[in-house]
Amino acid sequence: MTTRKHDRLRVLSSEPAEPEFSPGVDEPPSELDRREMMKLLAAGAGLAGVGSLAGCMEEPRERIMPRVTNPPELTPGVPLSYATSMVIDGFATGLLVQTYEARPTKVEGNPDHPASLGHTMTYHQASVLDLYDPHRARGPLEAGTPTMLDRLLRNIARREPMTGLWFLMHPQSSPLLADLIAAVRQRHPGTRFAFHSPLDRRQVYEGARLAFGRPLEAQYRFTQADVVVSLDADFMGAMPNSVRWAYDFAQRRRLHGPGGQMSRLYLAEPRPSPTGSLADHRLPARPSEIALLAQALLSAVQGATAPSGNLTPRQQRWVQAAASDLGSRRGRSLVIAGDRQPAAVHAAVHAINQAIGAIGSTVAFTEPAILEPLGDGLPELASAMQSGQVQTLVIVETNPVYTAPPELDFPALLAKVPETLYAGDMLDETARQCQWFVPLSHYMESWGDARAYDGSISLIQPLIRRMYDSVSVWELVAAFAGDEQPDGHRLVRQRYADEAADAGLLTWQKHLQLGVIPNTALPPQQVSAGAGAAPPQLSGAGSSFEVSFEESPSVYDGRFAANSWLQELPKPHTKITWGNAAVVSPATARELGVGNEDVVRLVRGAFHVDLPVYVLPGHADRCVTVELGYGRSAGGPVAEGVGVNVYRIRPPSPASHASPVQVIATGGTQRLAYTQKVFDQHGRDIARYAEAAFYQAQPQFTEAQRGPLPSWLPEFFENNYQWGMTIDTMICTGCSSCVVACQAENNIPVVGKKGVIDDREMHWLRIDTYREISGDDVEFIHQPMLCQHCEKAPCEYVCPVYATQHSPDGLNEMVYNRCIGTRFCSNNCPYKVRRFNWFDYTEDTPKTKQLQFNPNVTVRARGVMEKCTFCVQRIRAAEIVARRERREIQPGEVATACQQACPTGAIQFGLLHHNGTNVVEWRKEPRAYAVLHDLGTRPRVMYLAKITNPNPELDD
Amino acid sequence: MSKALLIGRPTDAALGDQLLGTTWRRGGRTWWIVFAISGALTLMLFSLITYTVVTGIGVWGNMIPVAWAFGIINFVWWIGIGHAGTFISAILYLFEQPWRTSINRLAEAMTLFAVLQAAMYPVLHLGRPWFGYWLFPYPSQMEVWPNVKSALPWDAAAVSTYFTVSLLFWYLGMIPDLASLRDSAPTRRRRFIYGLFALGWNGKATTWRHYRAAYLVLAGIATPLVLSVHSVVSSDFAIGLTPGWHSTIFPPYFVAGAIFSGFAMVLTLLIPVRHIFKLHNVVTEKHLENCAKLTLVTGLIVAYGYITEWFLAWYSGNASEIYQAWIARPLGPRATVFWITMICNVLVPQLFWWKRVRRSVLALFVMSLLINIGMWGERFMIIVQSLQREFLPSMWSSYAPTWVDIGIFVGTMGFFLFLFLLFLRLLPVVAVSEMRELRHDLERGVEHG
Amino acid sequence: MADRMLAEYPSEAAIVHAIHRLREDGYVDIEAYMPFGSHVVEHALDRPRSRLPIAIFVVGICAALGAYLLQWFLVAYLYPLVVGGRPPHFPLAFIIITFEMGILFSGFAAFFGTLGLGRLVRLVDGVQGTPGFDSATRDRFWLEVSMRDPAFDPERTRQVLADAGALRVEIPEGSP
């Protein structure tokens, strides 16, 4: 302990430049301040990784297992990756974190982990930035004054048995935590644990209980499903197992040839989601209408001839078509409901799956990985606080002061509690109102465990020694269980002592290396939706306005609001960054007489918020979608004041949507920062798409956009060692995981809201989204757009100083220190993928943030152009290894960051002579094409046209 | 017509006294006021340049996709203006147009000062201006050389050559007048200073012989030069893929535009100068009318350029080109600039068909101003509007300048005026010796051309 | 010490007349000073055409060739980098700089050639400072006869010049 104290003091004293508490705690930061902070968090100054923070470059004291099986000694400059897991609302996703000298720099998916299979979501990619956030709390506070963590924990551990002790935390699945909770209950009888997240899944388990009599978790097997009907389920973007499901779905979806089979997706949802952009029949429906559709679908598959009333003709056709497809493919189809849908809808969906023989074939049920899925929640806690039964309240991670429904008036309730302790990573809204504050360790600093969605036990091992004076959830709870010196490593080893014992230490190490304990997935249960448990009548939909509350694809429920990468991430369909909007359909916008950036007021009873409008075709009419997680009033300069806090009008239940709501145009306007303004192709055949039938009839429909063009220029690149990329747009959901991955890998700075408004965002990889509108239907085509590495690159010959030129292996190279910034290359780039350092975006990067930099990628200075390099640093690293081993580069040896992250595997990269690899075979498919082929630039990136598979019966 | 070129029959002495007198006359109050204003603007220019270089080019309105904007617009605009001078002094000299004599000095001065303004921009608009010299093949240990396949080194060569040759031409032409100034200087100090710059000229016949030969040759080489410079400038755009740039009409179209705007600027400056210095007998209505005629001709060529652009856009059948020419420019963002351009460059010059307009000094002045505006608009249209609407709609956006952009532009105008006022004060506005020659030729009844 | 005699004439016609007189009398080493480049006077003096243009032409051609060679050497020979798939040796692109350099150096040649051949860039030329000589750059024409001229005789020459209509005849002091 003494050594640690010593370290900690060094940590605290190492950066006098930065205050212990984030600036702006007292006063809201001015625009300038935020811009400055933006620069701080924006990627960084020259010496990537050189600047070091005393005390945190060392390995953790405990022995942790590197993933590599050859000796784990650190070789400076040679990265090691370790398996660990990131937990969101209880569900673990296995990750491999790349570290340089025990300094985590990049997150990848863990191929051995069932919830990842080597891929990740945006949140995982960006989590490494949180670790280095200079505004993380650095030590415990007692009523605002710093105190000693050890003493605090010791005092907690020595407390006499308490009465009225309550815990409020995110949903948990950790077996270790389960034990600790039991221990706490034993030591402090009557202790109650309330599990709460703003994006609760309670209704899911409630629905299962309605259908099966007990809470269960549905395990979908999309690889087996020819027909998928989704009722407001964004199962490829926003659900606990999305990474895995996206991959599975893509396996069944991707077409290999004109004649091939592909799955069909029916989907009803209020606003276009990543999953929605792949739907063959996307039905815009207000949240409340989903219930009706579920009802109608149920009766349809049960053979009721007359479809239930109060459905529009379009909805009825949709239901009929879906029902007949489901029925005709018994056992090869499934229906899935969105987590936020009320229990009744889930129950109905279970009944449908029963009826179409999905249960047991395409859907299995297991015990939930989550602890106490139907246990106490926020409402129970609130009523207990109201009645003064809560003596001591321990809030972990979750931020109720910010997220609780306004009816509860949580701050007032909190005031009634004599003793409050908050554990979190930042001094956020709740922390400000609690007596005690304990900094929570980042998952890359903690030992722990959690279950994946399918129940597999995933291990969490630290990648870096604790940077600040913090504890993990397990340690905190352990303290309450009487552990005076809680130590995550010890706790985990004790919990898994038996595995280690009976299988031997080596096996335990193997588990750590894998990051997951094999064969711990929860067993499928024999269930059947008892006919007795007929779903209750679903409430009909009114015609009044509804507000639909969605988690933000960027900042989730607000917990990632301090992450500048996620804040600047363009949202899949709106391309909005740095804020949220009131998203409405064109018809609704006309009805309200508003357009983009006009401010509307959403009024629910006594509560209201003002947001700028964003008009999104394909959105349900008379419905407003708002994203949670913005308008933070505390939690770091990056988070504060960005967007609008819509929790202020969010009802307690159902939390998914509010109705009736008044929508009033205030007449004001407010700038939104979006990265794409025009979504119409203007008939230019940039992003190609076709229906499967058409593709079968005319496989060569993209012929004009590939193949050689006459040119009087000589032929270069005769050698067959050439790099190329192939992107299949038919399985791109636009989730943008690749964008964050690229940002993390390549030290790409963020420019802030003003920067984006000025069209100066720096992303090397962007996702262009085109909307093809025909009648009611909107086809969304996502086209990841990055440097095309043209063989006849227009950018190259206009550079007066050879700052950009071609490498013999076909890369379009950027020589930063030769660039003088004429920007002619950008003008002459038809794809507009080049980015320019208008200011010095990197000079003020704080030391902590510098630790994240990829030491193999130059940090760009002011006034130079930059762009995608095909992750040249990875290519060269692989080449060095290959040369040392006297061999050729093997297929699949080099993966770009975007390729690695992509959940559906839509991006493929490699050498063009490696026949048999996806990158080569895919571009041989007839639907391959090059963007702007007619310009003769000979892009090295080939795209595959998006193919949809609509139901012939349903031609509207 | 000879009458019209030189009114009255002044003796050499009288001619000399009148034309050199401008140099000895003390500046009036108005002169000092204007001079002070231009000086202030010059200061503003250099402080804004400092601000840009210190902070970063981001203080300008440029962005992706519009990575070139005010910087390049103003560069092309100024360099265009800089074309009339050499055109008048060189091409008209070769064509032996005697009327050029009384205005070439002023036009050449204008050229130099305009090119000076222009030359600042390409360096300023760089992301790292302090490395601008990398465009030249200086011997360097890095052994990195400019890429002469890019249009920018062409530009650097053309513009620097143009400036140098114009300067030499201007100075050579001025040496005899400097000698006259030396010999008629009221004070010893002035006599000494002008003496220095006169390089000991004494009007020896032998020297005159070489002098006249050299002058003729300079005129000869300046003629293709003046045509080449704006062709090269146009290739900055023409070698690009950008819809609206990728066009073979650009070189002639740009050269015509340059001379068009150049003559407009000559009129803008000549008319007040003629009024202030009472040069009506030397710079007669005939001169102004000829300028007007040339403006009309070049204006028609420019208009033809526009028509060709529209036609070729349609004829190419390329969706991006068609959209660019037929929708983006007339209807897209900043379309107002397009319409202003069309009015000022296509409609306004048509008034020059009428002799009354050509002879009305006021009309000429106003129209010359309009044409200057129009030609700036044309460059805005070509550069900014094209970049706003390129191949991928996903990257379409619209441009707006910042106060720094505007400040620097106004600043260069101030700097230009500043230099021009100094020129009026310190140097002979009209080529005296050439006027004498002209006078004698006229007396002898020798007709040129 | 004096080495020449100068005579001032009021007009082009007068000096031309005087030149003819002198030439008839067999003077060869005569020179004129005039306020503007009068080809009439030059014609009377009957001098050969200036060879400067030939020199300029040679310089210009060499400069152009040099420019082309330099471009080829740097871009096609030293560093044949692949840019936009263009061939390393790309005459089309080299031509412009070649042309401009030709022009630039011809310009230099013309300018400095004049200064050199005209013996300019000097403060003392032996005639400056002669009383009344300032008028040579204003409106008067001066005729110079070298004392080394075989036909020269102080008295007679002065007489001839005066008869030809000279306003004044001077012998400049302190010639170089």
Side-chain angles (χ1 to χ4, degrees), chain B residues 183 202-203 205-206 209 212 444, chain C residues 12 31-32 34 37 48 125 137:
Chain B
D183 295 340
N202 55 15
T206 327
R209 192 159 53 95
R212 288 155 60 86
R444 257 186 254 98
Chain C
E12 212 179 15
E31 179 63 271
M34 43 194 184
D125 60 3
T137 57

Side-chain angles (χ1 to χ4, degrees), chain B residues 1-78:
Chain B
M1 99 139 195
S2 56
K3 292 239 174 335
L5 280 183
L6 183 58
I7 293 165
R9 275 270 179 279
T11 64
D12 288 338
L15 207 53
D17 296 342
Q18 179 197 4
L19 299 181
L20 298 176
T22 62
T23 322
W24 307 137
R25 210 152 36 106
R26 298 190 56 75
R29 203 151 121 275
T30 25
W31 185 86
W32 280 109
I33 292 167
V34 183
F35 188 66
I37 294 170
S38 63
L41 290 177
T42 311
L43 273 179
M44 179 184 79
L45 170 65
F46 285 104
S47 30
L48 283 180
I49 289 176
T50 320
Y51 174 59
T52 307
V53 173
V54 170
T55 321
I57 198 69
V59 299
W60 292 11
N62 304 36
M63 39 81 163
I64 310 292
V66 185
W68 284 358
F70 261 46
I72 304 301
I73 295 168
N74 299 341
F75 163 68
V76 180
W77 188 70
W78 277 117

Side-chain angles (χ1 to χ4, degrees), chain A residues 444 483 540 747 937:
Chain A
M444 292 186 192
D483 189 334
N747 303 338
T937 53

Side-chain angles (χ1 to χ4, degrees), chain B residues 171-332:
Chain B
Y171 185 54
L172 194 65
M174 208 157 47
I175 288 177
D177 294 355
L178 288 168
S180 315
L181 281 170
R182 173 195 64 204
D183 295 340
S184 62
T187 70
R188 280 197 63 76
R189 216 168 99 265
R190 293 193 182 185
R191 186 186 177 86
F192 177 71
I193 294 166
Y194 283 110
L196 280 183
F197 286 101
L199 305 174
W201 177 270
N202 55 15
K204 194 188 241 173
T206 327
T207 320
W208 271 115
R209 192 159 53 95
H210 299 303
Y211 176 91
R212 288 155 60 86
Y215 197 78
L216 182 63
V217 172
L218 271 178
I221 59 174
T223 303
L225 177 61
V226 71
L227 296 181
S228 82
V229 172
H230 228 57
S231 308
V232 172
V233 170
S234 78
S235 64
D236 288 354
F237 309 102
I239 70 167
L241 289 172
T242 310
W245 289 11
H246 188 68
S247 160
T248 45
I249 188 70
F250 265 37
Y253 162 39
F254 264 54
V255 171
I259 295 163
F260 181 54
S261 60
F263 271 103
M265 186 56 96
V266 169
L267 286 170
T268 317
L269 297 173
L270 191 59
I271 290 170
V273 169
R274 169 175 182 260
H275 180 72
I276 293 162
F277 292 127
K278 312 256 177 313
L279 298 176
H280 302 76
N281 62 331
V282 182
V283 182
T284 67
E285 290 187 336
K286 178 84 188 162
H287 294 99
L288 301 184
E289 188 175 359
N290 286 351
C291 290
K293 284 177 179 166
L294 272 162
T295 318
L296 174 57
V297 174
T298 46
L300 289 172
I301 303 177
V302 170
Y304 172 74
Y306 296 148
I307 294 163
T308 318
E309 273 197 308
W310 290 318
F311 169 75
L312 284 179
W314 164 77
Y315 189 67
S316 72
N318 176 319
S320 309
E321 292 281 355
I322 294 170
Y323 185 89
Q324 179 62 248
W326 290 93
I327 297 169
R329 286 185 181 176
L331 307 171

